[in-house]
Amino acid sequence: ENRPIPEPGPNEVLLRMHSVGICGSDVHYWQHGRIGDFVVKDPMVLGHEASGTVVKVGSGVTHLKPGDRVAIEPGVPREMDEFCKSGRYNLSPTIFFCATPPDDGNLCRYYKHSASYCYKLPDNVTFEEGALIEPLSVGIHACKRAGVTLGSKVFVSGSGPIGLVNVIVAKMMGAALVVVTDLSASRLQTAKEVGADFTIQVKNETPQEVASKVESVLGCMPEITVECTGVQACIQAGIYATRSGGTLVLVGLGPEMVTVPIVNAAVREVDIRGIFRYCNTWPVAIALLASKRINVKPLVTHRFPLEKALEAFETTRRGEGVKVMLKCDPTDQNP
């Protein structure tokens, strides 16, 4: 609250923040102080799923003006390297990323950001939808990497926020059938509401048994599996479940080392792909939201003012609801 209002540079904009979603990574940094090689060494502002209103533009900014409502892409390359030149700027080793040490996030009243990574929201797209573009982008990037297309049969492992956006995007991209697994009955119900054709509540089945259940409900093995938990047993189930010649995309992040049936994948030519965040997804997501072809509004189950941020983080930590949204602008009630 006492931080000075930053001054935007020539190619930056100053934003009055509106909606900021809480991500599992935010909670992980708060609880554990690190994710893999990214270690919190100094105080850090959290938040990277965000939207706000432009209040000031730098001298070199021409596509935005004060009063514009924007969604913020949190990853900004610092230099034009080989990854940027090939369009895969998310892989740039020097990328700035909100709320990844040592870079501050945007869970605050005022925040400055590269203007090129702020995207104007159409009038019929809300601030909350703008903030949800960040998790939605993970689904867009994962489904593109997976090769989801007309008629695909897809297995989504995990029904948290990222599993749910993958269901939404897979159906949008033409998947004929999507099956979702999770431990939680309530989360599986949400998966149904956003478009899943089948759900399987996992209790204590072996990975092979889970794979068998997936095949049973689909009537065949899925060509594509999107693994959103990072849990070793779920990755194993993903390999066993995927049809020979199919693709398994690893979205969820768990332990650095996991034991998987790699020979099973290798001899059946199951392609295992990773994803790192996303790239080139904001324009796609905005077009989908503006055309009302997809609906992400059901994902937001809790809302808190910025003053109750700790309560909001505790709610997320306990796994309650789906997406917790913080409201940073007390004067604006527009969702």
Side-chain angles (χ1 to χ4, degrees), residues 15 18 129 242:
L15 303 161
H18 188 287
E129 289 175 302
T242 307

Side-chain angles (χ1 to χ4, degrees), residues 141-177:
H141 191 55
C143 287
K144 280 184 173 179
R145 291 271 293 155
V148 178
T149 188
L150 287 171
S152 296
K153 295 171 183 76
V154 179
F155 166 30
V156 176
S157 174
S159 190
I162 296 301
L164 295 173
V165 293
N166 273 284
V167 173
I168 292 169
V169 175
K171 294 296 284 189
M172 182 68 239
M173 289 174 73
L177 296 172

